[in-house]
Each structure stands twice: as structure tokens, then as C-alpha cells.
Amino acid sequence: MTDLLNQLVTFIGENPTLANAVVFLIAMGEALFLIGMVVPSTVVLVGAGTLVGLGKLDPWPIFIWTMLGAIAGDAISYWIGHIYKDSIKSVWPFSRYRTLVERGEAYFLRHGGKSVFIGRFVPGVKAIVPGIAGMVGMNATRFTVINVTSAIAWTIVHLGPGVLAGTAFGALGEISGRLATVLGIFLVVLFIAIMLARWLILIVLPLYAGSRTRIVARLAQRKSRFAKWFARMLDPAHPRSAGMLVSATLLLVTVPVFVALAAAISPDNGLQRADTAMRNLFQGLRTPAADEFMTTMTMLGDGIVTSIVACVVIAYLFIRRAWRRATGFLIAIAGAAVFVPLLKLLLHRARPIDLYTGADALSFPSGHATLNTVLYGIIAVLVAHDRSPLVKAGVFSVAVALIGSIAFSRVYLGAHWVSDVIGGLAFGTAMVAAFAFVFGSIHNEKVGRWALAGLVSVTMTVVGSAHVMRNFDSGLAMYQPVTPTVVLSRQEWLGEGWQDLPAHRIELNGEREEPLILQWAGDPDALARALAPDGYVPAPAWSLATFAGFLAGQTPPEDLPALPRIQNGRGAELVLIKRDGDLAETPEEETGGRWVLRLWPSQFRLKVDGGDPVRIHVGSLIHERILRPLNELSTPRADRDLPHDGENPLPKLPGVVTRTRPDGSSVVLGGPAIAPQR
């Protein structure tokens, strides 16, 4: 996994012209009138800044091209507004988003010329204000000065965090590549979750204001009381209509997701195989430093901490005489606390590792993910209630970051399967959405939002810190990495044990792929040396030069890197290729194909006399045809998962034995660990 990420970063760093073009187009698209509301500039630019910090991209070209893109986007939007003036509200596609245009116009009139500078940093209006400036006749020279200065500041703000992160990752990479990879995955997951929450609050809801108006008009015409009530709740003029819409949408999405996951649980299906593959992936990335951080995060979500925080919130709400919200909060927390163990007992799914006793020893759904989502999700709803979109986005960003960190720690530490955590997040989100839907319209209960936020922060900090400091050592020992291994003697392996090893490659999504026709005990390089006389050579490493081979129509098959394939969450330790000659049948297939042999580590070990057990690897041998569309590209396509008789060199290796599976397929057992004993 680390090698794959390193290859990706290296490829981007070796192609700076492409990176410059991407940041220019993204920065320009982000500023285009209305279009910029759906352009993910932040994600791309933070990523570019990270590559700068890693030393893979030169900072000045990236900075200049990002700034020029921002300037160009605002300038285009300005001249669109300048040309169309007020008639822009009736011109497609702007007429579909008349509400957004009017919102931007009001923002400009309220803040004047400085809105061009400020608006660039405000989601929801940044893609509208420059066009409005042109509509109202702002002087072009003045606009250009503000445009350029704001673009410089905006570029620094967007690239700066990535540069700092990249510099930190680079330093961590010198210490531990795996630690840098885990931290990178963790931050990317959190970043995407936070950006989705902000995107929903600041962009999606305003974008669909016009559609909501039409729906409300239709509902208002109906005589049903429910239709009229629903129309009032969804009315864009209603201060709580956006929250009601979000709550209803989340309920419609999260409940089916949770039900589907619960229904899919069985001992041997695609979901379980996918969970196992993901667990193996994270187990291979664990480091002591990351273990300490993730143990701390998971302990902040322990039952003792969530219980005390929940009790403090309930007491506070009752003291403030927010009777209905306090009752709803109590029902939601108690309901989740009762539902999780009951469902665990019903489904009886085993955890990846042995933890706890009773119902807590079972796995689906994750109690940490469920209860913390309900607790901090409802607190976020109470604190953000009736606040501005920016405040709501900030509050929910903090909640998502905390919940996501706790949920991620459960997967990283191996305490839960990925589907357990997703199921817990889905059920918890559904509970939060139901609370917001039922209690969001209450306006006559004064909660004291910032007092509640401060109380929760202090309680969690004090209780969580005390819990972590007191129990950290035992928690760290509890979550120590457990790598399940099965040790076989030579007699056991050659007898029946070989049947326990996987017969097919398992993808990260849990699907069974090509057959695994080789089990190799010992050094993979010994296999490479044994197959060298048959023409098998190590596959080229990924680089800009080898990647360019896919873009040329005459690249020999042996010069193309092998596409990465994962077996049960693990990357291949050995990849060999052999050209098999000219197999072309059409003008689009110019130079034939190749054989690709891959070898992956397994959890099985073989006892060796006088030494430590050696790992048993599993391998596949597939055929790829190299397609040549229009003689301009070289595209490998697997067309056979098994070699025919006479094409398989494995049974001819010295010291190997062949076994037949119940389905009639064969598997070769070999390696230096058994060859001397034959």
C-alpha cells in the first residue's frame, strides 16, 4: 500500500506541467459564475500544496498558476455580469438559480466593494459575487485590483495548509513510511467528511432553493393537513426548512444503508471477505506511534466518557427547562444504548479480535460509532440550531471530525470490521436526523447554545483526559496488533493443510477473482531465480517513463508495468512477467500479450527444522493481451486466469508437488523450505 502511494506521488511530481494545468483549471472553475459552486477546489489545492510540502512539486509555479486561475475565473464572471446586467436573471442557466443570484446581489449591496475580496473566502457566494459586481456596474479597474489582491491571499490560504501537511508527512516518512500513510488516510477521510458536511450546508441547500419553492407550492394546494404542514416546514422562507429537509433526506438514506448491512451479514459472503481484506490492509500499516494516537481517540469514545457527557447534557437541558429536547435527547441516547447490544445478540457476529464479554464481545454494529454519533450529533444539532450557515458548517465540522476520528480508530485498531463502523454511523445518523426532524422546529425552548457547547467541551476534556491517563497502558495492551497466523508442519501442509489456504484472490470489495494456483514456502526471490530460465523477469517499476509506455502504441509487453492487484488486503511481494510472442488477431492488437505471475503473503507459516517458521505465499498466473487502440495506446487486458497444459512452468520446477482441489483444478506446492527434503 505504501509503495503504491509512493508511486502515485512520484508520478505526479515527475509531471509538473500536468499539475500546473490542473490547479489553474480548478482555481478558475471555482470562481466561474454559479459553476464554481460545484467545483471541488479545496480538495485539489490542498492536495497540490501537500505535494509541494513533500518536495514533489516546485512551489512557485503551483502558486502562480493557482493565482492566475483564480484571477481568470473572477474576471470571466465579472464580464458575464457586466454584459448581461440585470437580464442575467432570465437567461438560462442562470434563470434556474435566480434565488442564488438575488442572494449574491443582496450580499454585494450589504458589503459594497469589499464583498469581492471577502466573498472569495465565503462558500456559497464566492462564485456569485464577481458576476454581481459586473451587473451593478462596479468600475473594472477597481475590480481588477481587488481581484488580484484577493487571489493572492486566497491562494496562500488554500495551498498553505497542504504545504505544512506535506512537510510534516515528509518528516514522518523519514521516520516511518507506514505512519505517514496511516496519518494521510486518516486526514483524507476526515477532510472529505468535513467537506461533504460543509458542501451540504453551504452549497447544496441554497442551490435547490428554487426546487423547494416549486414543491412547497404544490403541497400548499393540497387539502391534507400533513401536506400543508410539510409545505410550511419546507418553505425556504421558513427559518427551519433547511434543517427539516436535511433531516428527512438523511433518514431516507441512512436507514436503508443500515438495514442492507445488517441483512448482508453472514459468515462467508462478499461483505465478510471485504471486511477481512480491509482489516489486513490496516494491520499491515500499523505503527507504535499511530497505535498510541488511535488508542487515545478510541478511549475518548468509551462508554464511561459518553455516559458522563450524556448525563451532563440531559441535566443541563432539564435545568434550562427545555423539557421536550431533554426528553428527546434522553430517548435517543437510551434507545441507542439498548438497541446496539440487542442487535449484537441477534446477529451474533464475531469481532476481529477478542474484546470484552457478553453482548459487547460481539461486533455489529459498532457501539463506539453508534453512541458517539448520536451523542455528538444531537449536541451539534442543539448548538447549531437557528444559527447562520457558516456557524452551522463550523459546528458540524467539529462534530464530524470527532465522530470520524473515533470511528476510524475502531477500524485501525482492529476492534471492529469496517461494515460494523459504517453500520453504526448509519444508525447513529438516522437517530440524529429523527431528533432534528421532530425537535428542530421547536422555538420556545431556550437552550443557551454556547453555554452548552462550552459545558460539553469542558466535560469531555476533563473526563476523557482522566480516563485516558488512568487506563492508557491497559488500553494500549488491549489493542495490540494481532496477526492471525497458522503454523503447519511440512507433513500437515502437503497432506491436508494446503486446502486451508485461499483458492482464489480476494479483492478489497470481497469479490473472488482469479484462482491461486501456487503455494510457495520461503523466499519469493528463489521463485524468481527458478523461473528465470523460462523467460520470466521482474515487472518494470512504476515511473513516469514506464507509465508513458501505456500512451505509446509500440511498447513491448515486457516494458509495461503490471497493474496492481490486492489479495485479501495485501499487496504482491513478487511480480514476474513473460512475453509470449505475437498473438495479434486484429489491427488493434499489434504485438500479442504476456504472462503475469504475482505472489502474495498469506497468514500461514511452515515449520522449518532448526529455524523460525517461514511464510507461505500464494500466487496466480494470468495471461494479458496487449490491445493497441488506433495504434496509439498500449492497454493490458486479462483474457485468461489459468494457463493451458504446457503453458504452466510451475509443475516443472524442481522439488514441487501438485495437488488437485475438489473442483478439479490444480495447485503447485513448492519453495526452498521443502525442496531440500524431497
Side-chain angles (χ1 to χ4, degrees):
M1 180 68 176
T2 304
D3 291 340
L4 183 60
L5 292 175
N6 287 337
Q7 291 167 5
L8 176 61
V9 170
T10 301
F11 168 73
I12 296 174
E14 291 178 350
N15 201 5
T17 302
L18 176 62
N20 294 337
V22 168
V23 296
F24 174 83
L25 293 174
I26 286 292
M28 182 178 68
E30 186 267 352
L32 290 178
F33 200 29
L34 289 180
I35 296 174
M37 299 192 69
V38 294
V39 175
S41 64
T42 303
V43 176
V44 176
L45 295 180
V46 170
T50 302
L51 291 174
V52 170
L54 289 170
K56 300 299 181 180
L57 293 174
D58 291 333
W60 285 113
I62 291 294
F63 178 85
I64 292 172
W65 283 106
T66 302
M67 180 186 66
L68 291 177
I71 293 171
D74 266 19
I76 293 172
S77 298
Y78 171 84
W79 286 107
I80 290 175
H82 182 77
I83 293 171
Y84 285 99
K85 298 296 185 182
D86 201 54
S87 64
I88 200 170
K89 298 176 184 177
S90 58
V91 175
W92 187 90
F94 309 116
S95 58
R96 291 181 56 86
Y97 306 106
R98 185 185 182 96
T99 303
L100 288 177
V101 176
E102 292 175 347
R103 177 185 171 191
E105 191 172 9
Y107 185 87
F108 184 88
L109 294 175
R110 183 167 63 252
H111 295 285
K114 66 178 181 293
S115 63
V116 177
F117 190 101
I118 300 173
R120 192 187 285 276
F121 299 88
V122 181
V125 299
K126 60 185 178 181
I128 302 174
V129 169
I132 301 299
M135 287 174 55
V136 302
M138 183 178 182
N139 180 271
T141 302
R142 184 186 179 201
F143 173 83
T144 301
V145 172
I146 298 176
N147 182 17
V148 172
T149 55
S150 65
I152 294 173
W154 180 85
T155 302
I156 294 173
V157 168
H158 279 70
L159 293 178
V163 173
L164 294 176
T167 303
F169 287 148
L172 284 175
E174 296 296 324
I175 302 172
S176 171
R178 290 188 298 169
L179 176 60
T181 301
V182 170
L183 182 59
I185 294 173
F186 171 64
L187 292 178
V188 166
V189 171
L190 280 187
F191 183 72
I192 292 175
I194 292 171
M195 290 305 299
L196 286 175
R198 295 174 65 86
W199 187 66
L200 176 65
I201 295 171
L202 298 175
I203 295 177
V204 173
L205 290 177
L207 198 62
Y208 286 95
S211 301
R212 287 162 55 201
T213 301
R214 291 190 292 272
I215 294 173
V216 167
R218 293 177 184 176
L219 289 173
Q221 295 174 359
R222 298 180 178 272
K223 297 181 179 180
S224 166
R225 285 188 176 181
F226 176 78
K228 293 185 179 298
W229 172 83
F230 201 54
R232 290 195 303 272
M233 292 299 101
L234 293 182
D235 188 349
H238 192 291
R240 300 170 188 87
S241 63
M244 298 289 288
L245 180 61
V246 171
S247 301
T249 303
L250 287 176
L251 278 171
L252 292 175
V253 172
T254 54
V255 172
V257 168
F258 177 77
V259 172
L261 286 173
I265 291 175
S266 65
D268 184 25
N269 62 2
L271 180 63
Q272 184 61 52
R273 292 193 296 270
D275 279 335
T276 302
M278 292 300 296
R279 178 182 183 275
N280 291 337
L281 175 66
F282 279 103
Q283 288 297 295
L285 294 173
R286 291 187 63 168
T287 63
D291 287 353
E292 293 180 1
F293 174 73
M294 292 300 174
T295 299
T296 300
M297 293 309 305
T298 211
M299 293 181 71
L300 291 178
D302 282 351
I304 183 64
V305 179
T306 56
S307 298
I308 293 176
V309 173
C311 289
V312 168
V313 173
I314 292 170
Y316 173 82
L317 292 176
F318 276 119
I319 291 172
R320 291 298 300 255
R321 300 189 177 185
W323 310 114
R324 284 175 288 182
R325 286 196 176 99
T327 303
F329 185 87
L330 178 59
I331 292 173
I333 292 292
V338 172
F339 177 80
V340 168
L342 287 179
L343 189 61
K344 285 184 176 183
L345 290 172
L346 177 64
L347 298 178
H348 216 270
R349 188 189 200 191
R351 285 181 183 265
I353 57 177
D354 291 332
L355 291 174
Y356 315 123
T357 58
D360 288 337
L362 302 173
S363 193
F364 186 91
S366 165
H368 275 68
T370 305
L371 290 171
N372 283 280
T373 301
V374 174
L375 174 62
Y376 296 110
I378 293 179
I379 291 172
V381 169
L382 294 173
V383 173
H385 182 65
D386 276 352
R387 299 290 91 181
S388 69
L390 280 176
V391 172
K392 287 182 179 179
V395 170
F396 280 103
S397 294
V398 173
V400 168
L402 177 59
I403 295 167
S405 299
I406 294 172
F408 185 88
S409 71
R410 303 305 285 171
V411 175
Y412 172 86
L413 294 172
H416 276 288
W417 307 107
V418 173
S419 58
D420 299 337
V421 171
I422 295 176
L425 292 173
F427 180 79
T429 302
M431 294 288 287
V432 174
F435 178 92
F437 191 87
V438 174
F439 299 98
S441 60
I442 297 175
H443 62 277
N444 58 350
E445 292 184 344
K446 303 301 181 181
V447 172
R449 300 170 183 83
W450 300 120
L452 174 61
L455 182 62
V456 169
S457 300
V458 171
T459 303
M460 183 187 175
T461 301
V462 173
V463 176
S465 299
H467 175 60
V468 170
M469 287 188 292
R470 181 178 181 182
N471 302 292
F472 181 77
D473 290 339
S474 60
L476 192 62
M478 179 189 301
Y479 296 115
Q480 279 299 302
V482 177
T483 303
T485 58
V486 179
V487 180
L488 302 173
S489 67
R490 180 177 180 275
Q491 182 178 2
E492 291 172 334
W493 180 38
L494 299 179
E496 300 292 337
W498 63 271
Q499 300 184 59
D500 295 330
L501 275 76
H504 292 82
R505 183 175 69 87
I506 305 299
E507 266 288 5
L508 283 178
N509 60 5
E511 293 294 325
R512 289 190 176 97
E513 301 296 341
E514 70 268 19
L516 299 174
I517 62 172
L518 173 64
Q519 297 180 11
W520 186 263
D523 185 8
D525 290 336
L527 177 62
R529 293 190 294 269
L531 289 174
D534 287 300
Y536 283 86
V537 297
W542 282 89
S543 67
L544 180 60
T546 56
F547 177 80
F550 291 100
L551 306 179
Q554 301 297 329
T555 308
E558 64 271 20
D559 291 340
L560 295 173
L563 300 180
R565 293 197 175 198
I566 299 295
Q567 149 58 13
N568 209 18
R570 301 182 175 97
E573 289 190 1
L574 178 69
V575 182
L576 303 175
I577 60 174
K578 174 189 175 182
R579 179 170 178 170
D580 67 346
D582 190 350
L583 302 178
E585 298 179 358
T586 69
E588 289 78 19
E589 300 174 0
E590 294 286 346
T591 58
R594 63 184 182 176
W595 291 99
V596 181
L597 183 144
R598 295 178 176 87
L599 204 63
W600 296 275
S602 76
Q603 69 188 67
F604 290 82
R605 304 288 192 277
L606 182 67
K607 293 179 183 177
V608 179
D609 293 338
D612 296 329
V614 298
R615 185 186 294 274
I616 301 176
H617 296 75
V618 292
S620 70
L621 182 60
I622 65 173
H623 183 268
E624 293 181 346
R625 184 180 292 276
I626 308 301
L627 304 181
R628 313 288 186 183
L630 303 177
N631 203 30
E632 293 295 334
L633 301 172
S634 298
T635 308
R637 178 177 297 173
D639 58 0
R640 269 194 286 155
D641 289 340
L642 285 171
H644 296 318
D645 292 339
E647 296 176 322
N648 188 356
L650 299 175
K652 304 173 187 177
L653 296 176
V656 303
V657 297
T658 301
R659 295 288 185 262
T660 302
R661 292 192 172 102
D663 61 1
S665 62
S666 298
V667 57
V668 174
L669 283 62
I674 67 168
Q677 302 180 37
R678 287 190 52 81

